[in-house]
DNA sequence: TATTCCATGTAATTCGTTACATGATTCT
DNA sequence: AGAATCATGTAACGAATTACATGGAATA
């Protein structure tokens, strides 16, 4: 949380997305990297102002643009600044998964609640997987000749693999709760080991 | 980011971990849920004070404790408050993965840098996987008869599956960069589709 | 004796969301 | 005419990290 990444994200989007307004930057973030990054308007607009002041981006003439739209373009200095930041190793993510947290304390509330959370998670993960498949198709269609192709593909692939894993996990977790209610801890341990074995055989 | 979760985490740890000091709460968090949750001292200590004031926990006599250690115990009211929070659906995590972000803009810096990040990620994921296997062994050894067994097992399993997926992904991502440098975008697309096919066949 | 680990706490700062405020344009 | 979407911005608040400050106990 130390160094503010928002500015660099904006810079990066302008570097690969061309001339964009704050609103469009936000849309880009949601569509292209939304499954692993989010930004709110409350930060994008002040950041655009700051970046313009630092000469890392410059506002284009509003002549062509419709409505009040203000578009920005990255400057060579901005590109250099972006490159510097991108070259530094990424900081470890500070993960905070509230679903896992509430499940971890599941014994306090019981299997009913936990099962409900997991079923909802299954739905969310399925939707996410579908969205990622669609995103992949768009990349393959639109970025065939782009320098960015490899990187766009590898990031969606990351999401696909992770969400597939989560989906599989959520289903086995529901089964584990069922097992516990029917056969107690012994059944849980039996099922747990069995699932692990079939997993490693499948690979 | 709306409702403060720190207090509930502390409450939860005290509910399943017994009487603990702030320092010990932090240790518990690191060991038991560290792979999906983190808290800093700067928040735990003020939170303990606040929870004690609200009568959700109470400080034990320091007589038995060594050094300046101050231990706390959850009260029935605290347990009720915890249960209420746990029953509410978990909020969607606001994900921010700096590795994926920097990889996504990889074309700006080139394959050298991206490969380095991925190799480092492979190391980190391998270490994480090892740690999770050890954590699982401890749970099976120590929580055999605990109400919490199912929930402790399913959360580590989540970590194991996700990190296994990330590990596999990081390796194929490195291969994808290699493919691009040798055979350009056509090679990338070929490899990408091939990897996806062998994946779905394996399952 | 020096270093590491245990242990508690406060203050400053940054970060980020949410809510608020405003208005144009397009679609139904 | 009304709703939805496009579009920009500010202000207030809350949350979380980091740095700072302090000191006892154990170990090498």
């Amino acid at each position: 949380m130390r160094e503010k990444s928002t500015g660099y994200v904006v810079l990066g989007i302008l570097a690969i997305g061309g001339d964009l307004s704050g609103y469009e930057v936000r849309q880009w973030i949601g569509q292209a990297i939304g499954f692993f990054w989010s930004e709110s308007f409350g930060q994008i607009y002040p950041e655009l102002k700051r970046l313009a002041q630092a000469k890392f981006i410059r506002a284009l003439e509003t002549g062509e643009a419709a409505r009040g739209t203000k578009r920005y373009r990255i400057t060579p200095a901005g590109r250099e600044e972006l490159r510097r930041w991108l070259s530094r190793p990424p900081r470890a993510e500070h993960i905070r998964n509230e679903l896992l947290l509430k499940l971890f304390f599941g014994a306090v509330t019981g299997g009913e609640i936990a099962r409900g959370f997991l079923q909802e998670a299954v739905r969310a993960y399925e939707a996410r997987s579908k969205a990622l498949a669609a995103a992949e198709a768009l990349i393959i269609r639109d970025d065939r000749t782009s320098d960015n192709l490899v990187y766009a593909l590898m990031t969606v692939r990351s999401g696909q693999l992770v969400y597939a894993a989560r989906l599989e996990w959520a289903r086995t977790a529901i089964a584990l709760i069922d097992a516990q209610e029917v056969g107690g801890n012994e059944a849980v341990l039996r099922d747990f080991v069995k699932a692990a074995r079939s997993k490693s055989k499948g690979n």
Side-chain angles (χ1 to χ4, degrees), chain A:
Chain A
M1 204 136 285
R2 207 58 240 290
E3 71 185 337
K4 162 149 64 181
S5 35
T6 303
Y8 296 108
V9 179
V10 171
L11 238 34
I13 297 287
L14 290 176
I16 67 166
D19 306 335
L20 300 170
S21 68
Y23 195 84
E24 290 165 331
V25 166
R26 171 81 201 277
Q27 282 188 142
W28 254 80
I29 292 172
Q31 283 157 23
I33 61 176
F35 78 93
F36 65 79
W37 202 270
S38 63
E39 293 287 350
S40 58
F41 284 124
Q43 258 179 294
I44 289 173
Y45 286 115
E47 202 56 30
L48 283 169
K49 200 182 259 184
R50 196 186 64 81
L51 289 169
Q53 224 157 11
K55 307 273 191 193
F56 292 144
I57 63 175
R58 64 184 181 81
L60 302 178
E61 284 84 62
T62 51
E64 335 116 36
R67 309 188 208 192
T69 305
K70 224 190 280 178
R71 289 223 171 69
Y72 295 88
R73 178 173 297 170
I74 190 168
T75 65
R79 221 170 263 275
E80 190 43 42
E81 176 72 5
L82 173 63
R83 195 188 322 265
R84 258 200 302 279
W85 180 73
L86 287 174
S87 302
R88 284 202 294 276
R91 290 165 305 162
E93 38 170 351
H94 53 298
I95 9 75
R96 288 198 136 189
N97 189 324
E98 212 177 278
L99 170 65
L100 286 181
L101 184 66
K102 291 195 170 180
L103 286 177
F104 183 78
F105 297 127
V108 176
T109 43
E112 205 75 32
I113 300 272
R115 216 186 334 253
F117 291 170
L118 283 165
Q119 280 159 354
E120 181 50 40
V122 165
R123 275 190 286 277
Y125 295 158
E126 281 171 342
R128 192 56 72 119
S129 292
K130 239 178 241 176
L132 284 165
E136 181 198 304
L138 278 185
I139 291 166
I140 290 178
R141 199 192 65 187
D142 299 335
D143 296 349
R144 284 198 159 269
T145 62
S146 160
D147 274 359
N148 228 47
L149 176 73
V150 211
Y151 302 105
L153 280 182
M154 76 170 65
T155 43
V156 277
R157 168 63 49 90
S158 167
Q160 289 170 341
L161 289 175
V162 166
Y163 279 97
R166 287 187 173 163
L167 191 52
E168 192 200 326
W169 162 75
R171 291 193 176 122
T172 64
I174 292 172
L176 218 57
I177 294 177
D178 296 342
Q180 206 258 356
E181 288 180 350
V182 176
N185 278 3
E186 301 95 68
V188 168
L189 287 165
R190 217 183 308 122
D191 273 34
F192 188 80
V193 173
K194 209 198 311 176
R197 204 160 316 167
S198 77
K199 182 82 229 296
S200 56
K201 219 168 47 180
N203 288 359

